[in-house]
């Protein structure tokens, strides 16, 4: 070995030690709490453990606050108030509900109503745990009340009113993503540079692992404990919508929690959709949207949106990628790895 190579080798070792010393001056903190009908996780790298824990608590508290505001099952929530009153008169909106509803309506318009938070008039007739579904007449009646164009927002007054009776809203397809963004904002403002916040299938990654992106696995929709794909990601959000989260099977039909507003029945052409976007509010709404739209219209929508990518598993278990991911060979080469 030449002298210069020996020097180089020891330099690398020294640098390695220096890096280890910097890294050990902090701690990776992880915690999970049941919230928003799922598990919310807040993981972060903290230089100062006490401050890291305080920020972790603040992030959880923010998610809890939004859950209290947007949970349709909680009769005291602002959303329940809207569902009770907006059929009679305009109901004032908090800044957060205003923002989430506007974003939801944006995706309704983009998708011609595939994403529609007024799906709830039909959605509330299903009980996935109790394995019950409405009969055809009842479903048809409820389906007629689904129409995002009748969610009437007055931006000046910041109010919402329903344009027809029988309407109800459920923000289950977008609220978790919004909450994840808000939690990440709290961590970032507090000086955290590396973190992951997730609420069920909606995650946002702040920073990277120092010198490389984090590897994020997309669950295999039919094989427990396996990944359909693994993608390197940094500073982005990723959401997955699947037909395996909340479902029951009766007479060979899979009843699950993502409904096609056109039929009031579970969308049945895909097994899972993962969307990568800068913000989780968008990845969340879009994963549900594309799941309802189906493969070709879904990919066309994603390919028309700059900065948005998709990994889709079709009904035969075949993987499909949006154009930008197909061009990015690093991402594709990581697919089919096992958990
Ligand atoms: P989760 O993370 O809860 O599994 P997804 O992002 O996959 O959520 O979205 C499913 C949720 O979205 C459902 O539980 C329901 O609350 C809501 N939802 C279902 N169908 C629609 C739809 N067509 N438009 C808007 N929201 C929907
Ligand atoms: Mg979603």
């Amino acid at each position: 070995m030449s002298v210069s190579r020996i020097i180089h080798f020891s330099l690398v070792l020294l640098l390695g030690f220096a890096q280890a010393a910097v890294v050990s001056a902090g701690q990776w903190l992880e915690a999970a709490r049941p919230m928003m009908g799922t598990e919310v996780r807040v993981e972060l790298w903290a230089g100062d453990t006490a401050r890291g824990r305080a920020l972790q608590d603040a992030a959880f508290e923010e998610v809890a606050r939004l859950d209290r505001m947007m949970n349709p099952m909680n009769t005291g929530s602002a959303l329940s108030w809207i569902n009770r009153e907006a059929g009679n008169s305009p109901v004032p909106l908090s800044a957060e509900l205003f923002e989430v509803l506007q974003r939801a309506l944006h995706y309704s318009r983009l998708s011609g109503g595939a994403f529609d938070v007024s799906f709830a008039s039909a959605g509330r007739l299903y009980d996935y745990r109790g394995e019950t579904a409405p009969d055809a007449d009842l479903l048809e009646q409820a389906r007629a009340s689904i129409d995002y164009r009748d969610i009437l927002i007055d931006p000046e007054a910041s109010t919402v009113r329903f344009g027809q009776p029988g309407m109800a809203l459920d923000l289950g397809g977008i609220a978790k993503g919004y909450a994840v963004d808000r939690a990440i904002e709290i961590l970032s403002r507090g000086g955290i540079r590396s973190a992951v916040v997730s609420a069920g299938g909606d995650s946002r990654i702040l920073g990277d692992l120092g010198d490389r992106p984090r590897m994020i696995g997309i669950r295999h929709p039919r094989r427990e404990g396996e990944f359909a794909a693994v993608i390197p990601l940094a500073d982005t959000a990723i959401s997955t919508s699947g037909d395996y989260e909340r479902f029951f099977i009766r007479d060979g039909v899979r009843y699950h929690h993502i409904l096609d507003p056109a039929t009031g029945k579970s969308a049945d052409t895909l097994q899972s959709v993962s969307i990568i976007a800068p913000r989780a509010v968008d990845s969340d709404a879009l994963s549900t949207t594309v799941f309802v739209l189906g493969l070709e219209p879904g990919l066309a929508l994603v390919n028309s949106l700059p900065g948005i990518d998709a990994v889709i598993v079709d009904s035969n278990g075949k993987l499909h990628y949006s154009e930008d991911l197909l061009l990015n060979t690093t991402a594709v080469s990581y697919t089919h790895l096992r958990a």
Side-chain angles (χ1 to χ4, degrees):
M1 198 182 274
S2 75
V3 174
S4 71
R5 287 198 72 182
I6 293 170
I7 291 170
H8 178 74
F9 183 62
S10 50
L11 247 185
V12 169
L13 263 183
L14 277 177
L15 281 175
F17 281 134
Q19 217 173 19
V22 170
V23 167
S24 63
Q27 199 187 346
W28 188 248
L29 303 177
E30 295 178 44
R33 296 186 193 169
M35 286 174 165
M36 301 194 96
T38 184
E39 183 183 81
V40 173
R41 292 189 69 81
V42 179
E43 305 178 12
L44 58 88
W45 179 260
D48 175 315
T49 306
R51 184 162 165 72
R53 289 253 178 254
L55 283 165
Q56 203 175 30
D57 284 343
F60 277 122
E61 184 40 50
E62 178 68 352
V63 176
R65 186 180 71 83
L66 294 168
D67 189 11
R68 286 192 293 273
M69 184 187 296
M70 300 187 187
N71 189 337
M73 309 300 273
N74 165 5
T75 53
S77 73
L79 190 73
S80 292
W81 184 32
I82 291 172
N83 283 340
R84 277 193 304 270
E85 297 299 329
N88 306 318
S89 56
V91 177
L93 292 168
S94 62
E96 291 91 349
L97 271 170
F98 182 82
E99 198 182 331
V100 170
L101 275 178
Q102 291 283 40
R103 207 68 196 143
L105 290 173
H106 169 71
Y107 286 112
S108 299
R109 290 184 202 108
L110 266 185
S111 66
F115 188 81
D116 190 331
V117 292
S118 73
F119 82 95
S121 57
R124 62 185 175 184
L125 302 177
Y126 291 88
D127 176 0
Y128 302 100
R129 244 182 239 149
E131 304 201 352
T132 55
D135 65 38
D137 286 348
L138 190 58
L139 185 61
E140 183 44 37
Q141 210 181 319
R143 195 203 53 79
S145 302
I146 306 177
D147 194 340
Y148 69 92
R149 290 164 299 191
D150 281 326
I151 304 170
L152 308 171
I153 291 186
D154 179 343
E156 300 284 299
S158 189
T159 57
V160 63
R161 178 169 73 76
F162 294 157
Q164 57 162 312
M167 289 187 83
L169 308 184
D170 183 328
L171 302 174
I174 191 168
K176 289 197 289 295
Y178 183 78
V180 163
D181 283 338
R182 297 300 296 253
I184 282 284
E185 206 176 303
I186 284 176
L187 300 181
S188 169
R189 281 212 198 121
I192 300 296
R193 293 283 161 265
S194 181
V196 182
V197 175
S198 65
D202 303 299
S203 304
R204 182 148 159 202
I205 301 147
L206 180 66
D208 51 25
L209 291 177
D211 56 350
R212 66 210 133 93
R214 200 179 292 277
M215 300 305 294
I216 300 291
I218 293 174
R219 218 184 109 174
H220 194 292
R222 293 292 179 271
R223 286 186 237 146
E224 189 79 36
E226 283 186 33
F227 292 143
V230 180
I231 311 181
L233 292 176
D235 264 321
T236 193
I238 179 165
S239 293
T240 298
S241 290
D243 64 3
Y244 51 82
E245 283 294 343
R246 245 174 295 155
F247 74 98
F248 64 93
I249 293 176
R250 202 170 62 202
D251 301 331
V253 178
R254 181 182 280 255
Y255 293 85
H256 67 86
H257 67 319
I258 303 171
L259 299 186
D260 182 348
T263 61
K265 295 179 184 165
S266 304
D268 61 2
T269 64
L270 300 174
Q271 292 181 356
S272 97
V273 173
S274 299
I275 300 285
I276 301 160
R279 297 190 309 157
V281 69
D282 299 306
S283 59
D284 188 6
L286 275 169
S287 65
T288 310
T289 306
V290 171
F291 197 101
V292 174
L293 282 175
L295 186 61
E296 274 160 27
L299 273 180
L301 174 62
V302 169
N303 287 332
S304 76
L305 300 172
I308 310 284
D309 281 301
V311 179
I312 299 177
V313 183
D314 71 17
S315 58
N316 298 315
K318 186 168 181 271
L319 281 160
H320 302 264
Y321 302 90
S322 57
E323 277 163 9
D324 290 352
L325 279 185
L326 275 178
L327 294 174
N328 181 342
T329 47
T330 343
V332 176
S333 67
Y334 283 111
T335 58
H336 299 297
L337 294 184
R338 293 200 158 198

